[in-house]
Amino acid sequence: MKPASFTYHRPGCLDDALGLMATLGVTAKPLAGGQSLGPMMNMRLARPEHVVDLNDLLELDFVRVTDAVVEIGALTRHHRVATDPEIARALPLLAKAAQSIGHYAIRQRGTLGGSLVHADPAAQYALVAITLDAEVVIRSARTTRVVPAVDFVQSIMTVDLAPDELVTAVRFRRLAPAEGWGFEMFSRRHGDFALVSVALTLRRDGHGAISNLRLGVGGVGPVPERLAVVERDACRLAADVGTIAVLARQAADNVTPEDDPQVPANYRRELVEAVTARALTAAVLKTESPS
Amino acid sequence: MTEPVSISLTVNGATHDLVVAPRKTLADVLREDLGLTGTHVGCEHGVCGACTILIDGAPARACLTYAVQMEGHELTTIEAVAKSGELTPLQRALTQVHGLQCGFCTPGIVLTFEVWLRDNPDPDEAGVREALSGNICRCTGYQNIVKAVLAAAAEMRRGAGA
């Protein structure tokens, strides 16, 4: 339970970090909050020759909110995402997701970029990013590129990132004031990985019916997925208890979780139904006009 | 370098010049190089919370941090929580309601909740239990720990109001 030997680098700014990544390539691992890489190194599942510590890159710890976009730096800690008043206003769905990550002490260190690059299939940020059509900003010494989250997260712990590249920020479209949202998850223990998690947003048309549903489900496959069929079929349905039950059932019918000895596929599918219903209910309640 | 490097660590207000291998975790350096054995090591992968210390005032797992990373940061361990031998309201409450039991998990709980209670001065039981989920007690007697945190919160509110 002790990490293997490595050479330690502590760049003082992003350009220096990118220079190191360009030189060291596949022999290096960038270290952000260390709340996933640390355990992997302690268990020797990861044995990088070089560790490039990103914790001094304070230029990557930021929250910028404009009329349309919430852009968050890759080194922003979960605790800040969970408690930042601007994020709470512009993107409360993300704040709620961040509040559910690990534990209080873990959230003080873990980062947005680190979690997204680690790409655990049950992780919160990838689910929210894919559900909200977020974009991932990637830098290297060579170039800057912007990749839709849905393309960035490729498979279990596999993302579209070259060895010399670093994620520097994530851009989310902010929620409209009239947009309802829900984030719900089920895990066996507090702070543990979700067996199933659901993120969604919806609007109501002039007659109060559902429009523009975006529905993402995590924990049921190698990457979080959008349920396009349910999103389409929800359009124009009355926002009532019956519709919620139908859509939740449909969500469960549209996932194909793998059977595993501890979590049978059928159990996970039933969880999708229950958790989706909870998230839909929360979102619909948020769109009930108080006037 | 994978070879030992010279670093300077600020722990509980004192600065120490050390030579450590980069792979050595902060928990091991605190215990083995500085003799601060109040930081306990349980699971070594961030789950149990026994090694929780403060980095610049924020709780963090010392087993998921390398000592080389900590140059330029202020570290606080359990040894410095009581000031001049006087226990904090949280420490007092833990002793008064038998919240220590074997005591192994206690340092991590104290450091986590000294900060958490500042963020959450008027918590309810559910909130305390949720926060406590980051610290595993293998005596499994969470009841008295929850009681102690709630009692400490009440005591601190009285202190702040006085």
PDB file of all heavy atoms in Angstrom, chain A residues 157-177:
ATOM      1  N   MET A 157     -12.541   4.607 -17.881  1.00  0.00           N
ATOM      2  CA  MET A 157     -11.233   5.210 -17.607  1.00  0.00           C
ATOM      3  C   MET A 157     -10.445   5.510 -18.872  1.00  0.00           C
ATOM      4  O   MET A 157      -9.214   5.415 -18.886  1.00  0.00           O
ATOM      5  CB  MET A 157     -10.430   4.315 -16.669  1.00  0.00           C
ATOM      6  CG  MET A 157     -11.061   4.259 -15.298  1.00  0.00           C
ATOM      7  SD  MET A 157     -10.214   3.137 -14.228  1.00  0.00           S
ATOM      8  CE  MET A 157     -10.846   3.673 -12.666  1.00  0.00           C
ATOM      9  N   THR A 158     -11.154   5.846 -19.933  1.00  0.00           N
ATOM     10  CA  THR A 158     -10.500   6.148 -21.208  1.00  0.00           C
ATOM     11  C   THR A 158     -11.110   7.420 -21.786  1.00  0.00           C
ATOM     12  O   THR A 158     -12.322   7.487 -21.998  1.00  0.00           O
ATOM     13  CB  THR A 158     -10.705   4.990 -22.206  1.00  0.00           C
ATOM     14  OG1 THR A 158     -10.271   3.783 -21.580  1.00  0.00           O
ATOM     15  CG2 THR A 158      -9.908   5.211 -23.486  1.00  0.00           C
ATOM     16  N   VAL A 159     -10.264   8.421 -22.011  1.00  0.00           N
ATOM     17  CA  VAL A 159     -10.748   9.685 -22.560  1.00  0.00           C
ATOM     18  C   VAL A 159      -9.895  10.101 -23.748  1.00  0.00           C
ATOM     19  O   VAL A 159      -8.794   9.578 -23.957  1.00  0.00           O
ATOM     20  CB  VAL A 159     -10.738  10.799 -21.490  1.00  0.00           C
ATOM     21  CG1 VAL A 159     -11.742  10.511 -20.396  1.00  0.00           C
ATOM     22  CG2 VAL A 159      -9.338  11.001 -20.916  1.00  0.00           C
ATOM     23  N   ASP A 160     -10.427  11.036 -24.515  1.00  0.00           N
ATOM     24  CA  ASP A 160      -9.733  11.546 -25.696  1.00  0.00           C
ATOM     25  C   ASP A 160      -8.703  12.583 -25.258  1.00  0.00           C
ATOM     26  O   ASP A 160      -8.958  13.782 -25.272  1.00  0.00           O
ATOM     27  CB  ASP A 160     -10.782  12.169 -26.639  1.00  0.00           C
ATOM     28  CG  ASP A 160     -10.135  12.872 -27.826  1.00  0.00           C
ATOM     29  OD1 ASP A 160      -8.939  12.619 -28.087  1.00  0.00           O
ATOM     30  OD2 ASP A 160     -10.824  13.667 -28.482  1.00  0.00           O
ATOM     31  N   LEU A 161      -7.547  12.101 -24.821  1.00  0.00           N
ATOM     32  CA  LEU A 161      -6.507  12.996 -24.322  1.00  0.00           C
ATOM     33  C   LEU A 161      -5.148  12.378 -24.640  1.00  0.00           C
ATOM     34  O   LEU A 161      -4.860  11.261 -24.221  1.00  0.00           O
ATOM     35  CB  LEU A 161      -6.667  13.174 -22.798  1.00  0.00           C
ATOM     36  CG  LEU A 161      -5.952  14.342 -22.144  1.00  0.00           C
ATOM     37  CD1 LEU A 161      -6.562  15.670 -22.579  1.00  0.00           C
ATOM     38  CD2 LEU A 161      -6.006  14.228 -20.627  1.00  0.00           C
ATOM     39  N   ALA A 162      -4.325  13.121 -25.386  1.00  0.00           N
ATOM     40  CA  ALA A 162      -2.993  12.617 -25.727  1.00  0.00           C
ATOM     41  C   ALA A 162      -2.064  12.758 -24.523  1.00  0.00           C
ATOM     42  O   ALA A 162      -2.346  13.536 -23.616  1.00  0.00           O
ATOM     43  CB  ALA A 162      -2.447  13.396 -26.921  1.00  0.00           C
ATOM     44  N   PRO A 163      -0.957  11.987 -24.506  1.00  0.00           N
ATOM     45  CA  PRO A 163      -0.072  12.010 -23.334  1.00  0.00           C
ATOM     46  C   PRO A 163       0.505  13.396 -23.019  1.00  0.00           C
ATOM     47  O   PRO A 163       0.874  13.655 -21.877  1.00  0.00           O
ATOM     48  CB  PRO A 163       1.059  11.044 -23.721  1.00  0.00           C
ATOM     49  CG  PRO A 163       0.483  10.172 -24.773  1.00  0.00           C
ATOM     50  CD  PRO A 163      -0.552  10.974 -25.494  1.00  0.00           C
ATOM     51  N   ASP A 164       0.573  14.268 -24.022  1.00  0.00           N
ATOM     52  CA  ASP A 164       1.152  15.597 -23.746  1.00  0.00           C
ATOM     53  C   ASP A 164       0.078  16.651 -23.470  1.00  0.00           C
ATOM     54  O   ASP A 164       0.383  17.825 -23.328  1.00  0.00           O
ATOM     55  CB  ASP A 164       2.032  16.048 -24.920  1.00  0.00           C
ATOM     56  CG  ASP A 164       1.233  16.261 -26.206  1.00  0.00           C
ATOM     57  OD1 ASP A 164       0.129  15.674 -26.328  1.00  0.00           O
ATOM     58  OD2 ASP A 164       1.701  17.014 -27.072  1.00  0.00           O
ATOM     59  N   GLU A 165      -1.188  16.223 -23.389  1.00  0.00           N
ATOM     60  CA  GLU A 165      -2.271  17.195 -23.217  1.00  0.00           C
ATOM     61  C   GLU A 165      -2.781  17.251 -21.774  1.00  0.00           C
ATOM     62  O   GLU A 165      -2.716  16.264 -21.048  1.00  0.00           O
ATOM     63  CB  GLU A 165      -3.453  16.828 -24.129  1.00  0.00           C
ATOM     64  CG  GLU A 165      -3.170  17.039 -25.603  1.00  0.00           C
ATOM     65  CD  GLU A 165      -4.364  16.654 -26.478  1.00  0.00           C
ATOM     66  OE1 GLU A 165      -4.992  15.608 -26.221  1.00  0.00           O
ATOM     67  OE2 GLU A 165      -4.657  17.409 -27.414  1.00  0.00           O
ATOM     68  N   LEU A 166      -3.334  18.407 -21.416  1.00  0.00           N
ATOM     69  CA  LEU A 166      -4.006  18.578 -20.127  1.00  0.00           C
ATOM     70  C   LEU A 166      -5.375  19.205 -20.368  1.00  0.00           C
ATOM     71  O   LEU A 166      -5.515  20.070 -21.230  1.00  0.00           O
ATOM     72  CB  LEU A 166      -3.201  19.524 -19.214  1.00  0.00           C
ATOM     73  CG  LEU A 166      -1.820  19.060 -18.740  1.00  0.00           C
ATOM     74  CD1 LEU A 166      -1.122  20.202 -17.998  1.00  0.00           C
ATOM     75  CD2 LEU A 166      -1.932  17.846 -17.829  1.00  0.00           C
ATOM     76  N   VAL A 167      -6.363  18.752 -19.596  1.00  0.00           N
ATOM     77  CA  VAL A 167      -7.656  19.451 -19.604  1.00  0.00           C
ATOM     78  C   VAL A 167      -7.471  20.726 -18.787  1.00  0.00           C
ATOM     79  O   VAL A 167      -6.919  20.690 -17.680  1.00  0.00           O
ATOM     80  CB  VAL A 167      -8.752  18.567 -18.980  1.00  0.00           C
ATOM     81  CG1 VAL A 167     -10.024  19.380 -18.732  1.00  0.00           C
ATOM     82  CG2 VAL A 167      -9.055  17.391 -19.893  1.00  0.00           C
ATOM     83  N   THR A 168      -7.894  21.858 -19.330  1.00  0.00           N
ATOM     84  CA  THR A 168      -7.722  23.116 -18.595  1.00  0.00           C
ATOM     85  C   THR A 168      -9.042  23.673 -18.076  1.00  0.00           C
ATOM     86  O   THR A 168      -9.053  24.426 -17.109  1.00  0.00           O
ATOM     87  CB  THR A 168      -7.049  24.191 -19.470  1.00  0.00           C
ATOM     88  OG1 THR A 168      -7.831  24.369 -20.660  1.00  0.00           O
ATOM     89  CG2 THR A 168      -5.629  23.773 -19.840  1.00  0.00           C
ATOM     90  N   ALA A 169     -10.157  23.339 -18.720  1.00  0.00           N
ATOM     91  CA  ALA A 169     -11.440  23.880 -18.272  1.00  0.00           C
ATOM     92  C   ALA A 169     -12.582  23.061 -18.850  1.00  0.00           C
ATOM     93  O   ALA A 169     -12.390  22.279 -19.784  1.00  0.00           O
ATOM     94  CB  ALA A 169     -11.589  25.339 -18.698  1.00  0.00           C
ATOM     95  N   VAL A 170     -13.773  23.252 -18.280  1.00  0.00           N
ATOM     96  CA  VAL A 170     -14.989  22.661 -18.827  1.00  0.00           C
ATOM     97  C   VAL A 170     -16.009  23.784 -18.973  1.00  0.00           C
ATOM     98  O   VAL A 170     -16.167  24.615 -18.071  1.00  0.00           O
ATOM     99  CB  VAL A 170     -15.545  21.555 -17.904  1.00  0.00           C
ATOM    100  CG1 VAL A 170     -16.767  20.898 -18.543  1.00  0.00           C
ATOM    101  CG2 VAL A 170     -14.473  20.513 -17.618  1.00  0.00           C
ATOM    102  N   ARG A 171     -16.670  23.819 -20.138  1.00  0.00           N
ATOM    103  CA  ARG A 171     -17.689  24.842 -20.388  1.00  0.00           C
ATOM    104  C   ARG A 171     -19.072  24.199 -20.393  1.00  0.00           C
ATOM    105  O   ARG A 171     -19.339  23.310 -21.207  1.00  0.00           O
ATOM    106  CB  ARG A 171     -17.462  25.498 -21.758  1.00  0.00           C
ATOM    107  CG  ARG A 171     -16.235  26.364 -21.807  1.00  0.00           C
ATOM    108  CD  ARG A 171     -16.078  26.944 -23.208  1.00  0.00           C
ATOM    109  NE  ARG A 171     -14.741  27.531 -23.325  1.00  0.00           N
ATOM    110  CZ  ARG A 171     -14.058  27.608 -24.458  1.00  0.00           C
ATOM    111  NH1 ARG A 171     -14.589  27.161 -25.589  1.00  0.00           N
ATOM    112  NH2 ARG A 171     -12.854  28.147 -24.464  1.00  0.00           N
ATOM    113  N   PHE A 172     -19.895  24.677 -19.491  1.00  0.00           N
ATOM    114  CA  PHE A 172     -21.281  24.203 -19.417  1.00  0.00           C
ATOM    115  C   PHE A 172     -22.195  25.318 -19.918  1.00  0.00           C
ATOM    116  O   PHE A 172     -21.937  26.492 -19.653  1.00  0.00           O
ATOM    117  CB  PHE A 172     -21.668  23.906 -17.968  1.00  0.00           C
ATOM    118  CG  PHE A 172     -20.872  22.814 -17.317  1.00  0.00           C
ATOM    119  CD1 PHE A 172     -19.681  23.095 -16.655  1.00  0.00           C
ATOM    120  CD2 PHE A 172     -21.316  21.506 -17.345  1.00  0.00           C
ATOM    121  CE1 PHE A 172     -18.953  22.084 -16.029  1.00  0.00           C
ATOM    122  CE2 PHE A 172     -20.599  20.486 -16.723  1.00  0.00           C
ATOM    123  CZ  PHE A 172     -19.419  20.778 -16.068  1.00  0.00           C
ATOM    124  N   ARG A 173     -23.261  24.935 -20.617  1.00  0.00           N
ATOM    125  CA  ARG A 173     -24.289  25.926 -20.903  1.00  0.00           C
ATOM    126  C   ARG A 173     -25.079  26.132 -19.609  1.00  0.00           C
ATOM    127  O   ARG A 173     -25.449  25.180 -18.948  1.00  0.00           O
ATOM    128  CB  ARG A 173     -25.221  25.412 -22.007  1.00  0.00           C
ATOM    129  CG  ARG A 173     -26.215  26.444 -22.516  1.00  0.00           C
ATOM    130  CD  ARG A 173     -27.138  25.845 -23.557  1.00  0.00           C
ATOM    131  NE  ARG A 173     -27.989  24.771 -23.026  1.00  0.00           N
ATOM    132  CZ  ARG A 173     -29.058  24.974 -22.259  1.00  0.00           C
ATOM    133  NH1 ARG A 173     -29.410  26.191 -21.898  1.00  0.00           N
ATOM    134  NH2 ARG A 173     -29.771  23.944 -21.835  1.00  0.00           N
ATOM    135  N   ARG A 174     -25.311  27.384 -19.221  1.00  0.00           N
ATOM    136  CA  ARG A 174     -26.023  27.586 -17.970  1.00  0.00           C
ATOM    137  C   ARG A 174     -27.508  27.266 -18.145  1.00  0.00           C
ATOM    138  O   ARG A 174     -28.035  27.295 -19.263  1.00  0.00           O
ATOM    139  CB  ARG A 174     -25.816  28.992 -17.412  1.00  0.00           C
ATOM    140  CG  ARG A 174     -26.427  30.104 -18.229  1.00  0.00           C
ATOM    141  CD  ARG A 174     -26.130  31.450 -17.611  1.00  0.00           C
ATOM    142  NE  ARG A 174     -26.853  31.633 -16.346  1.00  0.00           N
ATOM    143  CZ  ARG A 174     -26.648  32.651 -15.515  1.00  0.00           C
ATOM    144  NH1 ARG A 174     -25.731  33.557 -15.804  1.00  0.00           N
ATOM    145  NH2 ARG A 174     -27.345  32.769 -14.416  1.00  0.00           N
ATOM    146  N   LEU A 175     -28.184  26.948 -17.065  1.00  0.00           N
ATOM    147  CA  LEU A 175     -29.597  26.625 -17.151  1.00  0.00           C
ATOM    148  C   LEU A 175     -30.406  27.916 -17.303  1.00  0.00           C
ATOM    149  O   LEU A 175     -30.050  28.953 -16.743  1.00  0.00           O
ATOM    150  CB  LEU A 175     -30.065  25.892 -15.890  1.00  0.00           C
ATOM    151  CG  LEU A 175     -29.426  24.535 -15.593  1.00  0.00           C
ATOM    152  CD1 LEU A 175     -30.138  23.864 -14.424  1.00  0.00           C
ATOM    153  CD2 LEU A 175     -29.445  23.621 -16.811  1.00  0.00           C
ATOM    154  N   ALA A 176     -31.492  27.836 -18.064  1.00  0.00           N
ATOM    155  CA  ALA A 176     -32.403  28.970 -18.168  1.00  0.00           C
ATOM    156  C   ALA A 176     -33.195  29.063 -16.870  1.00  0.00           C
ATOM    157  O   ALA A 176     -33.413  28.041 -16.199  1.00  0.00           O
ATOM    158  CB  ALA A 176     -33.341  28.770 -19.356  1.00  0.00           C
ATOM    159  N   PRO A 177     -33.640  30.274 -16.520  1.00  0.00           N
ATOM    160  CA  PRO A 177     -34.377  30.424 -15.255  1.00  0.00           C
ATOM    161  C   PRO A 177     -35.609  29.516 -15.187  1.00  0.00           C
ATOM    162  O   PRO A 177     -35.966  29.024 -14.115  1.00  0.00           O
ATOM    163  CB  PRO A 177     -34.793  31.897 -15.250  1.00  0.00           C
ATOM    164  CG  PRO A 177     -33.859  32.576 -16.196  1.00  0.00           C
ATOM    165  CD  PRO A 177     -33.448  31.558 -17.213  1.00  0.00           C
TER     166      PRO A 177
END
